[in-house]
Amino acid sequence: MLLHIAHDTTYRYDAPLRLSTQYLRLSPRPTPGLQVLRWVLELPGPAVQALDAWGNTLHVLTLEGDRREIHLRAFGEVQTLDGPQPPEPEDALPAPVFLRATPLTTPDAAIQAFAQQHAASVRAAPEAGLMQLIEALLQRMPYIPGSTDAATPAGQAFATGHGVCQDHAQVFITCCRLLGLPARYVSGYLATDAEHVASHAWAEVRLQSSQGAGWVGFDISNRCRVDGHHVRLAFGADYADACPVRGMRSGGGLEQLATSVQVTAAPDQ
């Protein structure tokens, strides 16, 4: 399907901002089921483009001088395949890299016990077993925003009994790694009928699926395999590696952040 995407991020400050550096992962990362037709970044200054340690496209934007607002806009069109996306082959990073725990995906006793409940089913039929794990996770931890933030680790989110897509992805990834399955965090966009205030998050797991061997995407919050409605921006070991916008600043006083994401599907040409 053809997807039109527009992502706006605006920072406002109540005092002059002297210096700001933003690390932007706002360029879709192609997959076997995704082709980037056009993509534009509108930024308030020149940015340096590079690849980060995970192979994601990274733009580094540094702004100097007094200002009270920073507006970042990413937009364009991508073409995706309908239905579940095909497994992605191995890339330059070996799969075992994604077995290690990180500060945001360190398992505690509660997550270890939860994961162990699904070890037999995942071992017997990995794809079906992981879908069962997702159902159990969402019963234990329904989607309710407001109690977690970007710095909340998996164990703390699991203990609250609810969370958002970021938390679901990180708890799921933690469980997969405990079960011996390499798993990575993905940030991106999701085409729905509504406008979102932020990008979406899901996970990819290295396994043998019904479509072959490779990295398979699971949208935990929506209880489904990743399909043509999903557009990947970046992946990494956890949220900190793959977040679309991250930065630091000097000055500015209090900060207000406003974001909006619109992803609309158009008829194929």
Side-chain angles (χ1 to χ4, degrees):
M1 68 182 67
L2 177 64
L3 300 178
H4 298 278
I5 302 169
H7 181 182
D8 289 277
T9 303
T10 304
Y11 294 92
R12 294 185 176 90
Y13 304 94
D14 69 351
L17 185 68
R18 293 186 295 274
L19 176 68
S20 171
T21 299
Q22 301 284 337
Y23 301 92
L24 311 176
R25 295 175 180 86
L26 289 170
S27 300
R29 184 166 180 159
T31 69
L34 184 149
Q35 178 185 5
V36 180
L37 303 179
R38 182 178 74 99
W39 197 257
V40 179
L41 291 184
E42 290 184 350
L43 307 175
V48 177
Q49 180 176 334
L51 294 179
D52 68 12
W54 308 100
N56 304 306
T57 298
L58 174 70
H59 289 84
V60 182
L61 172 68
T62 300
L63 301 171
E64 296 181 287
D66 291 349
R67 64 177 67 225
R68 290 177 181 262
E69 181 176 297
I70 297 174
H71 181 217
L72 314 170
R73 181 170 174 80
F75 62 95
E77 292 83 40
V78 303
Q79 186 82 40
T80 64
L81 296 177
D82 292 336
Q85 299 301 284
E88 185 174 1
E90 283 287 358
D91 51 29
L93 292 169
V97 169
F98 296 98
L99 283 171
R100 64 182 179 86
T102 69
L104 292 176
T105 60
T106 299
D108 59 11
I111 293 181
Q112 289 176 356
F114 176 78
Q116 190 57 39
Q117 295 171 11
H118 301 275
S121 61
V122 171
R123 188 164 49 247
E127 188 174 355
L130 289 176
M131 292 304 299
Q132 292 175 16
L133 188 153
I134 288 171
E135 288 292 339
L137 173 58
L138 292 179
Q139 289 180 17
R140 172 75 178 265
M141 192 180 172
Y143 188 102
I144 301 177
S147 63
T148 61
D149 57 32
T152 304
Q156 182 179 336
F158 191 70
T160 68
H162 48 268
V164 295
C165 59
Q166 168 189 306
D167 307 302
H168 292 155
Q170 291 191 146
V171 173
F172 177 77
I173 287 166
T174 304
C175 291
C176 289
R177 292 172 182 167
L178 285 168
L179 299 176
L181 295 174
R184 58 196 189 190
Y185 183 99
V186 182
S187 65
Y189 302 121
L190 175 65
T192 67
D193 294 332
E195 179 176 324
H196 298 272
V197 297
S199 57
H200 193 46
W202 58 91
E204 292 175 345
V205 185
R206 181 66 170 83
L207 50 75
Q208 177 75 40
S209 76
S210 58
Q211 293 178 289
W215 290 98
V216 178
F218 293 88
D219 184 339
I220 297 86
S221 296
N222 289 300
R223 294 179 167 89
C224 67
R225 282 277 309 277
V226 168
D227 61 18
H229 294 81
H230 296 77
V231 177
R232 186 175 69 181
L233 283 174
F235 67 66
D238 59 21
Y239 167 85
D241 296 327
C243 54
V245 179
R246 190 179 187 187
M248 60 186 70
R249 63 184 170 96
S250 174
L254 296 178
E255 176 184 272
Q256 290 185 331
L257 171 63
T259 63
S260 70
V261 175
Q262 291 182 306
V263 185
T264 55
D268 290 342
Q269 303 297 317

